[in-house]
Amino acid sequence: MRGLLLSVSCLLSLFALAQNPSGMINPASTTDVVDTLGQRDLIGIGIKFLHLHPKGPPHVKGKRVYFSLLPLSTSVPGGGNALVTSTQAGFYLGDRKTTYLSNITFSPSINLRGQFNLPFHSNIWSAGNAWNYQGDTRFSIYPQYTWGLGASQPEDHKILIRYQYVRVYQNALKRIEPYLFAGVGYNMDLNIGIHTDNDTVSLQKFTGYDYGTANHSNSFSSGITLNLLYDTRNNSINPLPGTFFNIIYRVNPQLLGSNTNWHSLYLDARKYFSFSPVGQNVLALWSYFWTTLGSNAPYLNLPAVGWDPNQHSGRGFYPGRYTGKSLYYAESEYRRDITTDGLFGFVVFGELATAIEPHTAEFERVHLAAGTGLRIKFNKRSASNVGIDFGFSRSYNTVSIGLGEAF
């Protein structure tokens, strides 16, 4: 209980900072000319080098669409590398003075061993921000290590598990006040053929957890979510100074097909401070608390570092390294331009993560990670960057490449 109170108080403290939006750039103050005047990006450099004469970006419902496409190779959970193609589209469905930038991201990855991941994310803002539609659909076959419950498991206490994963998350939120939105959604998780590499040691035996861990079993969760969102950022691809606070309460009854009745609460707070009226000079803070409220969620639905709704946390931790019925995570990142034209920039970040122990239900150990990264402006219209990050913790390090910021 003390751990729960500490985590919630940390989140509320960050949210208290978020209540003062001074220095926030109002969407009404931005235009295409102001955003990109004197700026360079890889698209513009490529057009100039190849002597192309594009007619202009395509339109959706009369609004411009800003595409970013990046083929790359990067490491994946369970070891090895995969070819990844990240496609991102940013567009406005209304007057950009009163409407946030919508974005759709598709980042398929595949390797030569029959492993792949097909994620499709969408964050759509209707004209005037009257509605916000959020989507996360994915299908993946990738192995991953797990260390069991809690934050005290030693590094060599791990096992490789394999399964097929299907996710369908859809939310619709209505604006009830400026920057404040509320709505409902549907979340579905299907894990197929859960098994370890060594059939003599089942996931159930290894973790000591009885839900969603039987060898060669399936795990199905189907639930309704209640969502409350406060968001003053006008561009979620590369957030400008502003505030984000999100509450998601999820109920998964057997009536809707879930294997067990369970529920969860996710609290997410972010704050962005700008130290310059021009260029990138931002301190970004992120903290979330995720708990199953004592219920028995399937093992692969338990809170775990790196498995937040957007799977962007824990760049210095192996995905799922710390898992428990409750999890607390915090991160700070400093973002700065290197060149005055915005083409190159850098970030430095620090992270902490902890999960409650299965026997005491308390947060007993905190783990730290850090890292740095290079940013290359890919599309100045949508402010999308190519991010090359090196993250590390005590027993793990990795290089990740992608489009957009972690948060």
Side-chain angles (χ1 to χ4, degrees):
M1 180 59 69
R2 287 179 296 162
L4 172 60
L5 294 176
L6 175 62
S7 301
V8 174
S9 66
C10 291
L11 278 169
L12 292 179
S13 297
L14 182 54
F15 187 46
L17 287 173
Q19 295 309 296
N20 180 12
S22 59
M24 181 188 71
I25 297 179
N26 191 305
S29 68
T30 60
T31 65
D32 267 351
V33 176
V34 174
D35 283 347
T36 62
L37 184 64
Q39 299 292 296
R40 291 201 301 161
D41 59 17
L42 290 180
I43 292 178
I45 292 173
I47 289 174
K48 184 176 181 179
F49 179 77
L50 296 174
H51 303 288
L52 300 177
H53 302 282
K55 298 179 180 180
H59 289 64
V60 172
K61 295 183 179 180
K63 308 302 177 183
R64 287 187 172 183
V65 180
Y66 307 116
F67 282 103
S68 302
L69 175 64
L70 180 67
L72 53 93
S73 178
T74 188
S75 60
V76 295
N81 292 304
L83 175 64
V84 180
T85 301
S86 184
T87 303
Q88 189 177 78
F91 52 91
Y92 293 93
L93 293 180
D95 188 337
R96 64 174 299 167
K97 295 181 179 180
T98 58
T99 306
Y100 289 168
L101 181 71
S102 298
N103 67 84
I104 296 174
T105 304
F106 180 51
S107 303
S109 60
I110 190 170
N111 63 18
L112 298 178
R113 293 180 293 177
Q115 301 165 352
F116 60 86
N117 185 31
L118 302 175
F120 183 87
H121 299 272
S122 59
N123 187 28
I124 309 298
W125 297 92
S126 69
N129 291 342
W131 286 89
N132 177 220
Y133 302 100
Q134 305 166 354
D136 181 357
T137 302
R138 68 184 68 170
F139 176 53
S140 63
I141 301 178
Y142 267 120
Q144 69 174 45
Y145 285 105
T146 187
W147 284 258
L149 299 176
S152 300
Q153 303 290 355
E155 181 59 32
D156 59 357
H157 183 266
K158 64 182 179 180
I159 194 169
L160 190 67
I161 56 175
R162 299 180 183 275
Y163 59 96
Q164 301 175 29
Y165 178 51
V166 180
R167 168 187 283 191
V168 178
Y169 289 6
Q170 297 292 328
N171 301 312
L173 285 73
K174 178 75 170 65
R175 187 183 65 195
I176 56 178
E177 294 286 347
Y179 307 128
L180 184 63
F181 304 82
V184 298
Y186 173 74
N187 287 9
M188 185 274 286
D189 298 275
L190 173 61
N191 298 285
I192 306 170
I194 303 167
H195 66 282
T196 65
D197 258 12
N198 183 357
D199 277 351
T200 62
V201 181
S202 68
L203 184 60
Q204 186 174 34
K205 180 178 180 181
F206 179 82
T207 62
Y209 191 77
D210 295 331
Y211 303 93
T213 54
N215 236 11
H216 299 284
S217 65
N218 300 334
S219 171
F220 184 70
S221 294
S222 174
I224 301 298
T225 63
L226 303 178
N227 305 269
L228 186 66
L229 172 67
Y230 180 81
D231 194 355
T232 69
R233 311 167 306 162
N234 65 345
N235 183 350
S236 60
I237 294 176
N238 189 351
L240 296 171
T243 297
F244 175 94
F245 187 72
N246 194 24
I247 301 176
I248 304 173
Y249 177 63
R250 177 177 176 179
V251 182
N252 306 271
Q254 289 180 302
L255 180 65
L256 292 181
S258 300
N259 295 134
T260 60
N261 293 312
W262 65 276
H263 49 290
S264 65
L265 179 66
Y266 179 80
L267 307 175
D268 187 322
R270 309 177 193 184
K271 179 66 177 178
Y272 305 84
F273 300 91
S274 177
F275 303 110
S276 174
V278 294
Q280 183 87 309
N281 187 4
V282 172
L283 174 64
L285 304 177
W286 180 20
S287 179
Y288 69 78
F289 175 68
W290 186 7
T291 178
T292 57
L293 299 168
S295 61
N296 295 314
Y299 185 79
L300 295 174
N301 283 115
L302 289 174
V305 65
W307 289 98
D308 52 290
N310 291 318
Q311 294 188 329
H312 285 166
S313 64
R315 282 171 286 174
F317 298 111
Y318 186 94
R321 176 61 179 89
Y322 305 110
T323 301
K325 285 194 171 184
S326 294
L327 177 85
Y328 178 71
Y329 177 87
E331 179 174 351
S332 62
E333 180 174 89
Y334 179 62
R335 304 167 182 171
R336 182 68 183 265
D337 282 341
I338 297 175
T339 58
T340 57
D341 60 10
L343 181 61
F344 292 102
F346 73 92
V347 303
V348 291
F349 56 89
E351 306 166 338
L352 68 84
T354 182
I356 64 170
E357 302 302 324
H359 303 299
T360 64
E362 292 288 341
F363 293 115
E364 297 180 2
R365 295 193 62 183
V366 174
H367 298 272
L368 304 178
T372 186
L374 176 68
R375 295 294 180 268
I376 307 173
K377 188 70 68 183
F378 195 93
N379 189 326
K380 63 185 180 181
R381 301 291 182 178
S382 64
S384 64
N385 293 322
V386 177
I388 306 171
D389 290 331
F390 172 71
F392 62 93
S393 52
R394 184 176 181 180
S395 55
Y396 178 73
N397 64 81
T398 186
V399 174
S400 58
I401 307 174
L403 282 171
E405 300 301 329
F407 66 97

